[in-house]
Amino acid sequence: MKLTTLGCWGAYPYKDEGTTAYLLTGHDGFQFLIDCGSRAVNELEKEISPLDLDAVIISHYHPDHVADLGVLRHYFQLYPKHLWEPKVLPIYAHDEDVSEFEKLTLPGVSQGFSYNTSGTETIGPFSITFIKTVHPVVCYAFRIVEEATGQVFVFTADTGYFEDLETFAAGADLLLADVYLYEGNENHIAHLTSKEAGLLAQKTGVKKLVLTHMPPLPPKGMPTENHLEYLRNETQKYAGNIPVELASPHQSWEIGEC
Ligand SMILES: [Zn+2]
Ligand SMILES: [Zn+2]
């Protein structure tokens, strides 16, 4: 399977780049959108037609993860019917926020499905398990296994550090982690620090760690230029020999070969 970055800023878009959105393409061509942050539709159009999406999955309802869901639905609703064969877009999300979950369904356009957070959800070629993260609103991390290839991709979604994440991420071919914070802010209520992500990668023996949900601007006192490289270096220090990369828009990885 192939993972392509559409947006990787945390919290808000910055300088023409958007917030969390990733396209996961199965070996069979299944097109799966993971979170739908701001600019997701524009960036998706540079990769595929949004109408070719097979399904969407949402980790939680913070705006930097769902900002473009409304316009994605408009795309399916209002794209001229004589130019394509209309279909209903499945959107998987948790239903622990009823009013947000209900917005996912627009008859004839999109259908919300509540994923089974205590079992395994099969979506296209993927088997997905879930773990509730440490975050101010209900949020789930995903462990996605492509059955045909055995490749494993883990996305932390937004989370502070918690021990069960170690079992959940164990042995992944690629771990995509929320690293919004620099070292020194450990045990935060919402996000991982560089140090925590690095240690997580090392403890779990993943093949590669990719940083996402990164801070658009550095904290006070740190130069603006190269601050992300500083974040990567901090992470690498704790990740040992696990390679650490920064996500950037339209960068992609062939999972299992990376
Ligand atoms: Zn976020
Ligand atoms: Zn969030």
Side-chain angles (χ1 to χ4, degrees), residues 67-111:
D68 259 19
L69 257 189
V71 288
L72 179 61
R73 279 198 304 271
H74 275 177
Y75 213 110
F76 275 70
Q77 183 181 17
L78 301 169
Y79 199 87
K81 299 282 185 285
H82 63 283
L83 297 178
W84 72 305
E85 189 71 41
K87 65 178 183 186
V88 173
L89 178 67
I91 304 175
Y92 294 83
H94 72 72
D95 62 0
E96 292 169 59
D97 181 328
V98 174
S99 68
E100 290 289 350
F101 180 75
E102 283 176 349
K103 287 186 208 164
L104 303 179
T105 299
L106 191 60
V109 176
S110 63
Q111 178 67 49

Side-chain angles (χ1 to χ4, degrees), residues 9-11 19-20 60 62-65 135 157-158 178 191 213:
W9 287 132
T19 60
T20 305
H60 67 304
H62 269 157
D64 51 328
H65 299 255
H135 205 54
D158 285 10
D178 157 21
H191 302 289
H213 205 278

